[in-house]
Amino acid sequence: MKNRIIALIAIIMLFAPAACMAASGGTGAATGILGFAKKHPPLDKVYDFLRHANFEHTKLILYLTLLGFFINGVTTDIALNLRDYILMNPSPTEPEVLNVMNFFISLLQGVYVLAIGATAFYIMFFSISPKQRANAKYMLGKLIIGVLLISISPFIIKLLFDFSYSMTEQILDQTDTDAAVEQYNDVLWKSYWLSVLTISAPVILDEGIREYAILPILKDRRLKGMAKARGIELDAGWMGKLESVVEGEVRSSTYGTYAGYTGGFVREDIMDEVEKTVKEGTKASMSRSKWGVEDILHRLKLLPKPDFTFPFLMTQMLFIFGLYGMLALRYLMMMLWTILFPFTIFFTTFELTKGLGRNMIEQTIFWTVVQVFFALSVATISAGFAILPEGFEYFSVGLPAPFEFLAISIFSLAACGLLILSPILLLILSQRLLAP
Amino acid sequence: MKKRIKLFALGTIGMLVLLCMVQIALAAGEGWLTRTHISKMSMSEIMHFAKRTIYAVYSLKESREDIGYLLANLEDILLMNPDPQSPDVKDPLGFFIMMLYPLYVLAIALTAFYLLLVSGTPPGRAKAKSLLVNFTAGMVVISLSPLIMEAVIGLSVKTTESILSQTDVEILTSNMAAVFGSSEWDSFCPLCIAHFFLTFVEVELGYYTFIPFFIVVWGALVVFIIRFLAVTLWIILFPVAVFLYSFDLTKDLGRNMLEQLILWTMLQAFNASIVVAAALCLIQKPVGFMSVSFQLPALPAEAGIGTEPTMVMLDFIPFMACILITLAPLFMLRLFRNFLP
């Protein structure tokens, strides 16, 4: 039910302004169904709010707000639960897992009994060389040990998990996990606020728009030609007065493209405002009241272009999916190797499948030890920041004033990378873990 | 509910069209029909939304249908195998068998000739005798290839069925349906809503939110199909693998081919183990474990473990299970190579 309501609200928010925009006939127009609203204050504020450019800004603000809620959810979850996520192990002695393992154990016990019977028969009734007899007796011993081991395999693997759990817990108790969590959350939040910052590049883009979008129109001879076609004469005196008119129309352009031209000619809606300004003899207020959302955003110089947020969004998603993915993968793999542990022992027993069994044991040990390695990574990050020289913890790629507080420290980035890559580092270190 | 949502969508689109028509009519009344920029702008806005709506709706529709199919038929897809007795497999298999018979006969004849007529060293004669046994056994094995393959496939199917019977696969499929949505339109998942909304913010964002659906459908589903094709290929090449395994010179190649056959066949059981492990994880894990959700500020912070989250965006356990199924072939081929003598 909740989802349906959210879906309905989203659809209304997305479509209603567009429908009203279609009714109002585009930027600056005063006809259509909302023309009445435009001409009758205070309903003109409703008209201003529903202008197309506001729609683009509104979408962007909604996107950033929801992204902020999402980042808040992730950072809260990590702050409260990272320790538990690292320590969480599947329990082999729980009924659901035990039932699965007992099924496999009962299957393999049958195979073992068959193999023991065949080996005993071979030893007792076949005339073989002493070396073959010794090999057969050795095999018999392995088979008996194997059947005993698979019978208690849930408890063996529980022992392994408990050992890993206690080691991890002791490592985490020695260190302050909050330091590592703080660095991780810092990266997420700062990249989020940098996304917000990119849509409000105040000086450079503003100057860029003025230089590349507005002034060329004013200096364009075609403007004079097009104005003449409409029966108005533009002299040099008008250029200063028209700058704000042209600027307003360019900034509220379709989908934030800031293009003053279409098809090689100055946009018709810009020409409409120019004509209106000249004929009315007044500086147009850009058909906008002071309280329109667009005016406020225009004064704050916000751009309705989410493209600039993508690099930061990708960083955030990489770190979120990386950390959660690795933790979830570890839990899943530990469960997988738990239920396959009887087969691991079985394959190790026979010469033919010994290589297979050894690989499975390596994987079981590897994914169990990943837990300890995670704890070590957290401890390393905490200890590393504690002993960093003064000022180094904020070493970062510089941002101009007054935004240097948003700079993401290189050490924070490295900390996030270490948390995510620690299983892979362990994988590289543990190549050919067991003796051949 | 499905009908209501369809009606609502149609109503909204109808309202848009009606408003545009009214606008054009009013514009015509004021003499602006010659100024076509208004109708163009309305049309361009309609196209702007129509394009994004079409992309969001159809990308979700297609992927959710495929995900719905995958979830509804997960057990059948896991148990999918080529039939070695079907003519499409048996005919190419028979072709290779027929091609190898003369080679085996030639090899047996040459070995017999060496044993009977050439005075060789005792080790050489012993090796020739073992080769003779190998060739004879090989010839018998390739003659029985279809039956052997049927036995191997049958063993894999029985193993997979017994693994899947240990737990309720519905637990995994229902969790995945909650994360990705089923094919029913009234089950909007938060991920679907995010995809729909972000497509309207910026189409590129819609491409990125489509990635989880892409991984599940074109990752997991495609891997099952690739496995089916690989098993078919190695069944057809089984006689060639046995032939190559018989000679010392080509023993490595033959062994690799036989290993590939066994690994791709047993991948079915491995996938079933992953599904069972994921289901057990979902049973055992506490509520809220590994679930990323929205957290509104100014509300009390929710403990992720043990508390039902506000709105779960993505549950990572089923998602990672799909990624693991996608990567399972690489896993098996990397870990379990060179296990044959």
Side-chain angles (χ1 to χ4, degrees):
Chain A
M1 186 62 196
K2 201 190 299 177
N3 289 345
R4 288 172 201 168
I5 293 169
I6 290 165
L8 278 171
I9 292 169
I11 289 168
I12 290 166
M13 284 185 71
L14 290 168
F15 278 108
C20 293
M21 262 324 298
S24 68
T27 309
T31 59
I33 290 174
L34 286 185
F36 176 82
K38 183 170 167 41
K39 291 169 190 167
H40 294 85
L43 291 176
D44 58 340
K45 293 182 180 46
V46 175
Y47 173 80
D48 286 339
F49 181 73
L50 292 175
R51 280 162 60 92
H52 180 85
N54 290 343
F55 175 52
E56 291 295 319
H57 286 105
T58 309
K59 271 195 313 189
L60 182 68
I61 289 168
L62 202 60
Y63 151 64
L64 288 173
T65 308
L66 289 174
L67 182 63
F69 291 161
F70 181 70
I71 299 290
N72 192 33
V74 170
T75 50
T76 308
D77 189 43
I78 291 291
L80 292 172
N81 302 310
L82 180 64
R83 187 190 158 93
D84 294 328
Y85 288 162
I86 294 173
L87 286 170
M88 186 79 64
N89 278 335
S91 175
T93 50
E94 288 291 312
E96 300 90 9
V97 184
L98 202 56
N99 286 341
V100 177
M101 289 184 81
N102 282 340
F103 172 76
F104 292 144
I105 289 167
S106 60
L107 274 180
L108 294 173
Q109 279 174 339
V111 179
Y112 267 112
V113 164
L114 219 65
I116 288 169
T119 311
F121 188 81
Y122 176 75
I123 293 170
M124 285 191 292
F125 297 109
F126 279 72
S127 52
I128 48 179
S129 68
K131 190 178 175 188
Q132 282 174 324
R133 188 174 292 277
N135 283 344
K137 284 179 183 170
Y138 174 67
M139 191 63 204
L140 190 65
K142 274 175 74 174
L143 287 169
I144 292 169
I145 292 168
V147 75
L148 288 171
L149 285 176
I150 64 161
S151 303
I152 57 169
S153 55
F155 304 100
I156 296 172
I157 197 125
K158 186 167 178 3
L159 196 66
L160 182 64
F161 287 171
D162 287 345
F163 177 68
S164 166
Y165 180 93
S166 65
M167 266 187 72
T168 309
E169 197 179 33
Q170 290 199 17
I171 293 170
L172 288 174
D173 285 342
Q174 301 300 317
T175 187
D176 179 20
T177 52
D178 290 341
V181 167
E182 204 182 297
Q183 297 306 317
Y184 182 80
N185 290 346
D186 200 45
V187 169
L188 289 182
W189 275 120
K190 281 186 177 171
S191 58
Y192 169 73
W193 289 116
L194 282 170
S195 312
V196 174
L197 183 68
T198 55
I199 64 162
S200 56
V203 174
I204 298 166
L205 200 55
D206 201 38
E207 284 301 308
I209 288 172
R210 186 169 182 275
E211 190 178 338
Y212 295 109
I214 299 167
L215 291 180
I217 295 172
L218 293 169
K219 292 175 186 170
D220 196 340
R221 287 181 189 176
R222 283 176 289 183
L223 181 71
K224 284 190 181 175
M226 288 173 76
K228 204 168 182 179
R230 291 179 178 227
I232 50 176
E233 285 289 333
L234 290 179
D235 57 22
W238 276 108
M239 290 306 155
K241 292 176 191 172
L242 286 175
E243 185 175 331
S244 59
V245 173
V246 172
E247 181 187 356
E249 291 308 311
V250 167
R251 285 191 183 281
S252 61
S253 59
T254 307
Y255 319 126
T257 54
Y258 302 106
Y261 293 87
T262 50
F265 293 95
V266 178
R267 279 184 10 230
E268 286 289 329
D269 55 330
I270 295 176
M271 290 310 303
D272 289 341
E273 282 299 315
V274 166
E275 183 182 354
K276 184 180 165 186
T277 305
V278 172
K279 283 184 178 171
E280 287 177 5
T282 56
K283 181 179 170 183
S285 62
M286 294 172 284
S287 305
R288 191 188 301 126
S289 74
K290 290 181 185 175
W291 303 108
V293 172
E294 194 197 349
D295 293 288
I296 296 167
L297 297 174
H298 172 59
R299 288 190 176 92
L300 292 173
K301 299 184 185 353
L302 291 180
L303 306 171
K305 290 182 76 62
D307 305 26
F308 298 126
T309 68
F310 288 170
F312 301 105
L313 184 68
M314 291 301 108
T315 311
Q316 289 156 15
M317 291 304 120
L318 173 69
F319 288 140
I320 292 170
F321 276 76
L323 182 62
Y324 275 96
M326 279 299 172
L327 290 169
L329 186 65
R330 184 196 73 85
Y331 190 79
L332 192 58
M333 291 302 281
M334 283 177 78
M335 181 65 82
L336 179 67
W337 294 116
T338 300
I339 61 175
L340 292 178
F341 193 62
F343 286 98
T344 306
I345 298 171
F346 177 79
F347 287 138
T348 317
T349 311
F350 299 94
E351 278 302 314
L352 191 67
T353 55
K354 199 174 180 180
L356 194 62
R358 195 186 72 193
N359 283 338
M360 290 172 80
I361 291 178
E362 277 181 5
Q363 287 301 302
T364 309
I365 295 171
F366 168 73
W367 287 104
T368 310
V369 171
V370 164
Q371 187 180 36
V372 179
F373 218 71
F374 260 122
L376 280 172
S377 306
V378 169
T380 308
I381 293 164
S382 304
F385 275 98
I387 62 173
L388 269 179
E390 190 76 33
F392 261 79
E393 63 268 27
Y394 300 116
F395 184 72
S396 61
V397 175
L399 279 176
F403 303 108
E404 61 269 358
F405 67 96
L406 285 180
I408 300 175
S409 156
I410 286 175
F411 293 100
S412 299
L413 278 175
C416 289
L418 180 63
L419 272 178
I420 294 162
L421 296 174
S422 49
I424 298 169
L425 280 173
L426 183 63
L427 182 68
I428 295 168
L429 286 171
S430 63
Q431 291 288 325
R432 313 311 294 166
L433 182 69
L434 296 176
Chain B
M1 189 64 203
K2 190 174 172 175
K3 202 176 170 185
R4 257 190 256 169
I5 288 188
K6 273 189 186 165
L7 280 171
F8 181 81
L10 279 169
T12 310
I13 293 167
M15 186 177 73
L16 249 180
V17 171
L18 183 66
L19 285 171
C20 293
M21 284 167 64
V22 167
Q23 168 54 36
I24 291 166
L26 285 171
E30 291 199 45
W32 278 26
L33 196 57
T34 51
R35 302 283 182 84
T36 56
H37 68 278
I38 290 174
S39 54
K40 270 188 196 168
M41 202 172 283
S42 303
M43 276 309 297
S44 69
E45 282 168 1
I46 290 170
M47 287 307 297
H48 175 77
F49 288 107
K51 279 191 285 191
R52 280 152 180 77
T53 308
I54 289 168
Y55 165 69
V57 165
Y58 278 95
S59 61
L60 273 180
K61 177 178 177 290
E62 293 299 323
S63 59
R64 278 153 55 103
E65 270 178 10
D66 292 338
I67 290 172
Y69 175 79
L70 175 68
L71 297 180
N73 302 296
L74 184 62
E75 286 201 45
D76 294 333
I77 292 170
L78 276 169
L79 292 168
M80 193 170 61
N81 273 317
D83 180 11
Q85 298 292 349
S86 87
D88 298 312
V89 176
K90 210 170 175 182
D91 290 345
L93 190 63
F95 165 75
F96 281 111
I97 294 170
M98 288 299 136
M99 193 182 72
L100 291 170
Y101 273 151
L103 296 175
Y104 264 117
V105 165
L106 192 66
I108 290 170
L110 284 172
T111 312
F113 184 81
Y114 174 81
L115 280 170
L116 290 170
L117 301 171
V118 177
S119 53
T121 60
R125 292 181 69 79
K127 193 164 166 85
K129 280 180 191 168
S130 72
L131 271 178
L132 197 61
V133 172
N134 280 351
F135 292 150
T136 314
M139 207 162 165
V140 170
V141 164
I142 67 165
S143 305
L144 298 171
S145 295
L147 294 169
I148 293 172
M149 286 298 98
E150 200 172 345
V152 168
I153 299 285
L155 177 68
S156 173
V157 167
K158 288 292 172 207
T159 311
T160 308
E161 275 175 352
S162 64
I163 292 171
L164 287 174
S165 66
Q166 298 311 305
T167 190
D168 189 6
V169 179
E170 277 287 320
I171 295 165
L172 176 64
T173 54
S174 59
N175 263 276
M176 282 183 66
V179 172
F180 295 103
S182 69
S183 53
E184 294 302 317
W185 275 98
D186 61 351
S187 63
F188 277 105
C189 57
L191 205 57
C192 302
I193 296 170
H195 174 65
F196 197 79
F197 170 70
L198 288 174
T199 303
F200 281 89
V201 173
E202 185 69 38
V203 165
E204 265 188 68
L205 285 172
Y207 300 155
Y208 298 133
T209 49
F210 188 63
I211 287 173
F213 299 98
F214 183 88
I215 287 172
V216 171
V217 177
W218 283 276
L221 203 52
V222 164
V223 162
F224 291 131
I225 296 168
I226 288 174
R227 187 208 153 256
F228 183 89
L229 294 173
V231 171
T232 310
L233 173 70
W234 293 119
I235 287 174
I236 293 169
L237 292 178
F238 176 68
V240 179
V242 170
F243 178 77
L244 293 172
Y245 195 71
S246 308
F247 299 92
D248 278 344
L249 195 66
T250 55
K251 194 169 187 176
D252 281 342
L253 185 58
R255 189 184 66 205
N256 284 337
M257 290 170 77
L258 288 171
E259 272 179 7
Q260 290 296 309
L261 171 67
I262 295 168
L263 286 175
W264 282 101
T265 310
M266 295 316 290
L267 183 62
Q268 190 175 39
F270 193 68
N271 283 337
S273 306
I274 292 169
V275 167
V276 167
L280 288 172
C281 285
L282 289 168
I283 294 170
Q284 264 204 352
K285 77 177 182 80
V287 170
F289 178 73
M290 286 287 151
S291 299
V292 175
S293 59
F294 282 103
Q295 174 69 45
L296 299 177
L299 287 180
E302 292 171 351
I305 295 181
T307 315
E308 191 73 37
T310 309
M311 183 162 65
V312 177
M313 273 294 294
L314 189 61
D315 196 346
F316 268 89
I317 298 283
F319 184 62
M320 291 313 292
C322 287
I323 290 182
L324 199 55
I325 288 171
T326 310
L327 297 175
L330 296 171
F331 215 70
M332 281 205 75
L333 296 173
R334 172 79 177 83
L335 285 179
F336 303 128
R337 55 185 180 182
N338 299 329
F339 68 90
L340 283 178

